[in-house]
């Protein structure tokens, strides 16, 4: 999670909402990282999770990220939750809850919807205070 927090700081320094993510291999090695780049790229889909998932798939040469873990500082939104399900990530670890747009247990629970063909394990609250503080500081300073 500390690496994801470093990624989030990169987003903030570029003027984007500080969310950072990384994908871990089944052995725990970092395959790919990402941070929000919506402001930098003008791409509404450039969320940290989507970018990390895309980069991991490219690094592995495979769209299925079976056995992999996605670590992210903020609970994923519905778009990112859909990408998680579609990429077959086995585990999602996140820090701060997102009561306004969270789709991994807060507002919705897309990734554990029994109607879908893949449901990853979810671990929440990892370094939650540090993740939330980074977001709070960013919006307070704006």
């Amino acid at each position: 999670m500390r690496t994801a927090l470093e990624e989030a700081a990169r987003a903030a320094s570029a003027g984007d909402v500080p969310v950072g993510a990384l994908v871990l291999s089944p052995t725990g090695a970092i395959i790919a990282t990402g941070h929000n780049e919506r402001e930098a790229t003008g791409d509404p889909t450039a969320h940290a999770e989507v970018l990390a998932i895309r980069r991991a798939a490219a690094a592995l040469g495979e769209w299925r990220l079976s056995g992999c873990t996605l670590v992210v500082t903020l609970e994923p939104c519905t778009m990112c939750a859909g990408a998680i399900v579609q990429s077959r990530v086995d585990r999602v670890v996140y820090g701060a809850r997102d009561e306004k747009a969270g789709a991994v247990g807060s507002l919705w629970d897309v990734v554990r919807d029994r109607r879908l063909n893949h449901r990853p394990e979810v671990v929440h609250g990892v370094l939650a205070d540090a993740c939330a503080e980074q977001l709070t500081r960013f919006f307070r300073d704006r």
Side-chain angles (χ1 to χ4, degrees):
M1 186 61 76
R2 293 194 195 290
T3 301
L5 282 163
E6 291 170 9
E7 282 294 317
R10 288 182 182 91
S13 68
D16 219 319
V17 175
V19 177
L22 55 100
V23 176
L24 301 173
S25 74
T27 64
I30 296 174
I31 300 171
T33 62
H35 58 268
N36 277 359
E37 295 182 18
R38 291 184 309 167
E39 298 299 330
T41 63
D43 178 356
T45 68
H47 287 204
E49 302 94 308
V50 170
L51 295 174
I53 287 169
R54 286 177 184 163
R55 292 170 184 156
L60 295 175
E62 169 71 52
W63 66 265
R64 289 177 193 86
L65 301 181
S66 300
C68 293
T69 298
L70 174 72
V71 179
V72 60
T73 57
L74 180 65
E75 179 182 356
C77 70
T78 54
M79 176 183 68
C80 295
I84 290 163
V85 170
Q86 292 299 315
S87 67
R88 308 300 195 267
V89 166
D90 278 356
R91 183 178 303 103
V92 178
V93 177
Y94 72 86
R97 289 174 56 96
D98 186 348
E99 300 293 338
K100 294 181 181 177
V104 183
S106 291
L107 190 56
W108 296 287
D109 200 353
V110 172
V111 299
R112 290 181 283 203
D113 189 317
R114 293 195 181 282
R115 296 169 292 184
L116 299 176
N117 65 339
H118 180 73
R119 290 179 297 282
E121 174 189 359
V122 175
V123 178
H124 61 86
V126 177
L127 295 178
D129 292 341
C131 294
E133 173 55 30
Q134 192 175 44
L135 288 156
T136 300
R137 190 174 343 113
F138 176 80
F139 287 112
R140 183 180 53 230
D141 293 346
R142 289 191 82 137

